[in-house]
Amino acid sequence: MEKRKTLIETHDLMFFYNPETVILKNINLKVYEGEFISILGSSGSGKTTLLSLLAGLDNPKGGEVILLGKNVSDIKEKDMSILRRTKLGYVFQFFNLAPYLTIEENILIPIYLNHEKKNKYKEKLESLLDFLSLKNRRKAYPNDCSGGEQQRAAIARSLIYSPSLIFLDEPTGNLDSENSKNLMILLKRINDEKGVTIVQVTHSEENAKYGKRIIRLKDGEILNDYTL
């Protein structure tokens, strides 16, 4: 059997604000290339904190996170910023689109931040607009788009650099039930057809089942970890 590439590995990962407020306790897990992982838990379980640590958005208080072969705590902030823009993708509950930029311009934000020419990514942009059904909204502004369209634009932005993996924090939190279902189907297609590794945080049992593996958290600890 072919050995799977490990993209993230944690060793006795901990996070706390003080000795009385421990958010995560001794988390040990691995994320393999091609997985679609759902981190499932109720409010206060520590799932968003865990996602932030796995994604290199925060540093652990104890233990370590090995992200793409590097210890997150050892990466300089400048290098971490480049890593976030070019190797990782992020999608949040709130779409985080710039209201004064068009959908197309929002998708290209990582390119602008990296001081690259957008023409170099013209083909990739067209492919994403087509795949995410946004071609007819490319010149529209976020406030003129539906919640589903805005979240698809946020996903396109996360994919513009063809990242190794994308992280999603409650991606359907601001969507109605129909748009939520459509978005989860889309994420499954991105994982199945494009091979992008996905780690999502959710409190929804239904949304979690679109993944291939569920890590259930309770009170800052892994309650169970199983493949669907």
Side-chain angles (χ1 to χ4, degrees), residues 195-212:
V196 177
T197 305
I198 294 176
V199 180
Q200 74 156 339
V201 153
T202 182
H203 67 273
S204 166
E205 296 273 353
E206 183 178 354
N207 286 355
K209 291 175 183 176
Y210 282 91
K212 296 174 179 176

Side-chain angles (χ1 to χ4, degrees), residues 149-167:
E149 289 168 340
Q150 291 185 64
Q151 193 62 301
R152 294 203 304 277
I155 290 172
R157 181 180 58 196
S158 78
L159 293 172
I160 191 66
Y161 264 117
S162 301
S164 301
L165 63 156
I166 61 173
F167 300 92

Side-chain angles (χ1 to χ4, degrees), residues 15 20 22 26 40 49 58 66 77 84 87 108-109 116-117 125 140 177 193 205 220:
F15 193 86
E20 289 75 38
V22 179
N26 301 317
L40 178 64
T49 299
D58 210 342
I66 309 301
E77 183 53 39
R84 291 188 195 113
K87 301 293 184 182
L108 291 169
I109 282 177
E116 292 194 75
K117 294 182 178 180
L125 174 64
S177 58
E193 298 176 21
E205 296 273 353

Side-chain angles (χ1 to χ4, degrees), residues 19-44:
E20 289 75 38
T21 312
V22 179
I23 309 300
L24 294 172
K25 311 166 191 174
N26 301 317
I27 301 292
N28 291 285
L29 61 85
K30 290 183 179 182
V31 176
Y32 297 102
E33 188 175 42
E35 287 196 295
F36 184 162
I37 294 176
S38 298
I39 299 173
L40 178 64
S42 59
S43 178

Side-chain angles (χ1 to χ4, degrees), residues 61-218:
K61 299 293 187 180
E64 58 185 12
V65 177
I66 309 301
L67 175 62
L68 302 182
K70 298 179 180 180
N71 191 318
V72 166
S73 298
D74 295 337
I75 304 174
K76 294 179 181 179
E77 183 53 39
K78 180 181 179 181
D79 294 333
M80 192 71 231
S81 295
I82 294 172
L83 184 68
R84 291 188 195 113
R85 287 199 300 270
T86 61
K87 301 293 184 182
L88 309 171
Y90 303 91
V91 180
F92 302 97
Q93 176 177 346
F94 300 100
F95 315 126
N96 292 350
L97 299 179
Y100 50 86
L101 297 178
T102 65
I103 291 297
E104 178 179 306
E105 290 168 337
N106 268 284
I107 294 170
L108 291 169
I109 282 177
I111 308 303
Y112 300 144
L113 291 175
N114 228 33
H115 306 293
E116 292 194 75
K117 294 182 178 180
K118 66 179 184 180
N119 286 345
K120 182 180 175 182
Y121 294 88
K122 183 178 179 181
E123 187 175 331
K124 183 62 185 291
L125 174 64
E126 295 300 324
S127 175
L128 286 172
L129 288 170
D130 185 50
F131 185 80
L132 295 166
S133 302
L134 287 170
K135 276 198 169 182
N136 65 336
R137 308 300 286 155
R138 63 192 305 160
K139 298 301 182 183
Y141 290 90
N143 290 341
D144 298 321
C145 296
S146 68
E149 289 168 340
Q150 291 185 64
Q151 193 62 301
R152 294 203 304 277
I155 290 172
R157 181 180 58 196
S158 78
L159 293 172
I160 191 66
Y161 264 117
S162 301
S164 301
L165 63 156
I166 61 173
F167 300 92
L168 303 103
D169 188 1
E170 298 284 6
T172 66
N174 274 344
L175 302 178
D176 59 34
S177 58
E178 182 179 357
N179 275 311
S180 294
K181 181 180 179 181
N182 290 337
L183 185 71
M184 293 312 303
I185 291 171
L186 177 61
L187 291 174
K188 191 174 188 308
R189 282 187 62 204
I190 290 170
N191 177 247
D192 289 340
E193 298 176 21
K194 295 187 175 295
V196 177
T197 305
I198 294 176
V199 180
Q200 74 156 339
V201 153
T202 182
H203 67 273
S204 166
E205 296 273 353
E206 183 178 354
N207 286 355
K209 291 175 183 176
Y210 282 91
K212 296 174 179 176
R213 174 181 165 200
I214 294 178
I215 298 173
R216 190 182 298 269
L217 287 188
K218 184 177 181 181

